[in-house]
Amino acid sequence: MQDFEQFIGSFSFDSRLAEVDINSSVAHTKMLVKAKIIDISDGEKIISGLTNILKDIKGNWELPKEEDVHYAIEKELIKRIGSVGGKMHTARSRNDQVATDLRIYLKQEIKIIVNLISDFQKVLVVKADENIDVIMPGFTHLQPAQPVSAAHHLLAYAWMVQRDKERLNDCYRRTDILPLGSAALAGTSFNIDRQYTAQLLGFKSISENSLDAVSDRDFAVEFVFCMSLTVLHLTRFCEEIILWMNPEFGYITIDDKFTSGSSIMPQKRNPDSAEVIRGKSGRIIGDLIALFTIIKSLPLAYNRDLQEDKPPVFDSLDNLKLCLEVMKEMVKSLEFVEKRVLKSTEKGFIAATEIADYLARNNVPFRLAHCIVRDIVLYCKKKSKTLNELSLEEYNKFSKIFKKDIFEYLDAKSVANIKTSYGGTSRRSVLHQIKNIKNKLELETK
Ligand code: ARG
């Protein structure tokens, strides 16, 4: 083994915690001074040393490599201010330090990701606004089912990712608990003031059990689960974008920059961006499984296995952020090919349920109405006709209840627009829905 220290270390992947590590060390030092565990002048030296290191890091100076980011900063501090720098680590261990750093880091990231999701939702709402009157076939089992407004379809995703934000905000609450002061595993005999450190670092509360505090990574698992579910939601939309771009559907176009050509087939424009997002879900779900497996059977308290939590956590958030950015831009460029979409509502007898509802409104038990319309559809298939192409006489062969007004129920637009139930696809319901989601998004920014 050439470099054993590198093998057991984490510097190659935890150096992005440098800033939060310095901030948590500054807070810890302030607490040590307040609790009279170290002198004011020593505290000042440490804080100004740390502040300088942070300034240099922000100015692109590279922290010399050590086993991990915590050692690297401590060593650099001692190099700059002398052995007094070693006092910073009083009443603390890297075990509570790393748990603290990761929590601070994820609290910041949760806020960033929630905002990215909101940005994506805003694009969905703008697109929904533009496409209320675009009527497309809604599918169940990927078979034509009933006509829906394209806006309704887009908004389904806006609500889906709304829940992702709520889940992240929930995760935030459980991340917002300070482990610092738990030391290695048992707490410390120094008279520390953990509440003060929590206040300085903006934590809502402090952990109750030092053993739990240094070994708990539930917040990280929950976070990566949130990343996984959000990317899953994106993949569902991506799958549809990919299908809709296939000329068999031809429902949409997206900007060329989200597609690529083929090195051999000159005609191709492939929906690569959507495919990459679909593929990224594999690695993000993999990150979740990695984290689960790292924690499985791990005895209390800290074990070095826990160091391996960072690559999956960082990988999942980096990739989800990329996916959200691309998704937002891709959807911004999405245009429905209205004629084509409407044309395909003529296939698949998607007004059939409406005809059954017509009979049911005229006192036919729905189950019987269902049978009658099934027979009408079979008849149409035999005659190669659409529901629109039948005459009233033909309808009356199946039921005398049909009157001339049945034809008002056969056009996809009107079928969609009479779904006026709350949360339905009618123009009125969709407008209401748009108003609601806009209000929600607006309230969140207040
Ligand atoms: N690099 C370690 C991690 O990321 C820090 C804690 C090390 N603690 C220890 N007792 N070796 O988990």
Side-chain angles (χ1 to χ4, degrees):
M1 183 78 217
Q2 250 193 351
D3 197 343
F4 179 67
E5 213 173 86
Q6 199 180 332
F7 176 70
I8 62 157
S10 51
F11 191 83
S12 62
F13 52 80
D14 68 10
S15 53
R16 68 161 84 188
L17 292 175
E19 187 172 343
V20 293
D21 191 73
I22 289 175
N23 290 338
S24 72
S25 289
V26 167
H28 180 69
T29 307
K30 284 184 181 165
M31 185 280 292
L32 292 176
V33 169
K34 181 173 179 271
K36 300 199 167 46
I37 297 167
I38 63 169
D39 288 349
I40 296 188
S41 70
D42 288 349
E44 278 169 356
K45 277 182 207 139
I46 292 169
I47 291 170
S48 90
L50 287 171
T51 315
N52 281 332
I53 297 174
L54 183 58
K55 213 189 306 151
D56 290 347
I57 290 173
K58 285 186 169 166
N60 278 340
W61 164 82
E62 274 195 28
L63 196 58
K65 283 193 186 64
E66 275 301 325
E67 183 189 308
D68 62 21
V69 67
H70 322 291
Y71 266 155
I73 288 167
E74 187 176 333
K75 207 161 168 194
E76 182 64 24
L77 182 70
I78 293 170
K79 192 173 138 203
R80 292 189 186 196
I81 67 167
S83 62
V84 64
K87 292 195 174 184
M88 169 178 78
H89 211 56
T90 316
R92 177 178 86 170
S93 147
R94 276 187 301 158
N95 299 351
D96 57 345
Q97 189 180 352
V98 68
T100 301
D101 288 0
L102 194 56
R103 283 176 185 265
I104 301 174
Y105 189 81
L106 288 188
K107 279 172 60 182
Q108 293 170 355
E109 287 298 325
I110 287 173
K111 288 194 173 153
I112 294 170
I113 295 167
V114 165
N115 282 335
L116 287 175
I117 297 177
S118 293
D119 292 345
F120 170 49
Q121 285 177 301
K122 284 177 196 152
V123 170
L124 285 169
V125 172
V126 169
K127 281 283 147 188
D129 249 333
E130 289 168 11
N131 290 290
I132 299 178
D133 295 318
V134 174
I135 304 299
M136 58 193 279
F139 295 137
T140 64
H141 312 267
L142 207 56
Q143 304 295 319
Q146 293 182 0
V148 293
S149 152
H152 197 47
H153 196 113
L154 294 169
L155 290 170
Y157 287 105
W159 294 110
M160 208 184 284
V161 295
Q162 179 64 24
R163 294 193 293 277
D164 292 330
K165 291 197 302 191
E166 287 165 14
R167 223 170 268 116
L168 273 166
N169 288 332
D170 249 12
C171 172
Y172 186 95
R173 282 211 298 280
R174 279 178 288 277
T175 307
D176 199 10
I177 301 167
L178 178 72
L180 202 61
S182 302
L185 76 164
T188 172
S189 50
F190 287 99
N191 185 25
I192 57 174
D193 182 347
R194 297 187 60 209
Q195 289 291 3
Y196 181 64
T197 318
Q199 195 189 316
L200 290 177
L201 287 172
F203 275 91
K204 189 140 188 258
S205 61
I206 58 176
S207 56
E208 297 285 341
N209 180 309
S210 60
L211 286 170
D212 180 37
V214 293
S215 51
D216 172 23
R217 291 294 182 277
D218 294 0
F219 65 98
V221 174
E222 209 175 333
F223 175 81
V224 181
F225 171 75
C226 291
M227 301 298 95
S228 303
L229 193 50
T230 308
V231 79
L232 278 192
H233 289 155
L234 299 187
T235 67
R236 296 182 74 169
F237 196 9
C238 284
E239 178 80 8
E240 294 185 324
I241 290 174
I242 293 163
L243 279 176
W244 292 349
M245 275 180 66
N246 181 300
E248 292 295 329
F249 282 82
Y251 286 5
I252 55 162
T253 59
I254 57 171
D255 194 294
D256 242 17
K257 70 170 180 255
F258 301 105
T259 68
S260 82
S262 151
S263 57
I264 175 169
M265 298 166 282
Q267 86 284 12
K268 293 272 271 179
R269 280 329 290 176
N270 300 322
D272 297 65
S273 303
E275 291 170 281
V276 171
I277 294 172
R278 207 172 48 175
K280 290 269 188 204
S281 67
R283 66 189 284 175
I284 297 179
I285 294 164
D287 292 329
L288 179 62
I289 304 302
L291 206 49
F292 272 143
T293 316
I294 290 161
I295 291 162
K296 181 193 169 292
S297 312
L298 207 61
L300 292 179
Y302 178 85
N303 296 271
R304 189 59 89 94
D305 317 41
L306 287 176
Q307 177 169 283
E308 290 293 322
D309 61 356
K310 279 168 265 331
V313 167
F314 296 153
D315 184 73
S316 69
L317 73 90
D318 288 345
N319 280 292
L320 183 74
K321 280 159 85 177
L322 286 174
C323 291
L324 282 166
E325 301 266 15
V326 172
M327 197 73 193
K328 180 187 80 183
E329 293 304 322
M330 183 165 65
V331 174
K332 211 187 266 180
S333 81
L334 183 154
E335 298 292 341
F336 283 94
V337 185
E338 199 174 342
K339 268 198 193 139
R340 182 71 197 234
V341 170
L342 192 63
K343 185 92 193 127
S344 63
T345 61
E346 289 167 15
K347 286 185 215 156
F349 309 100
I350 64 178
T353 315
E354 213 43 57
I355 305 175
D357 285 350
Y358 176 98
L359 294 172
R361 264 195 298 275
N362 286 288
N363 228 6
V364 179
F366 185 81
R367 201 39 66 214
L368 179 59
H370 186 278
C371 288
I372 296 171
V373 181
R374 192 196 53 208
D375 289 345
I376 298 176
V377 170
L378 286 175
Y379 173 84
C380 285
K381 281 183 179 166
K382 215 162 78 198
K383 300 265 169 194
S384 296
K385 283 185 171 181
T386 67
L387 290 166
N388 252 326
E389 289 164 350
L390 298 187
S391 64
L392 184 58
E393 291 70 50
E394 284 173 300
Y395 272 107
N396 286 144
K397 275 197 222 156
F398 296 92
S399 167
K400 292 280 172 248
I401 289 170
F402 290 117
K403 299 277 161 336
K404 240 169 72 195
D405 65 344
I406 182 61
F407 295 101
E408 289 165 28
Y409 294 91
L410 299 182
D411 155 69
K413 255 194 180 134
S414 32
V415 172
N417 280 328
I418 53 178
K419 300 286 189 301
T420 49
S421 55
Y422 192 95
T425 194
S426 71
R427 187 166 216 286
R428 203 174 79 199
S429 305
V430 170
L431 281 172
H432 186 75
Q433 207 185 133
I434 292 178
K435 197 179 84 204
N436 281 350
I437 194 128
K438 277 186 182 164
N439 282 344
K440 225 177 207 338
L441 293 173
E442 217 166 280
L443 276 178
E444 285 169 359
T445 54
K446 275 183 192 153

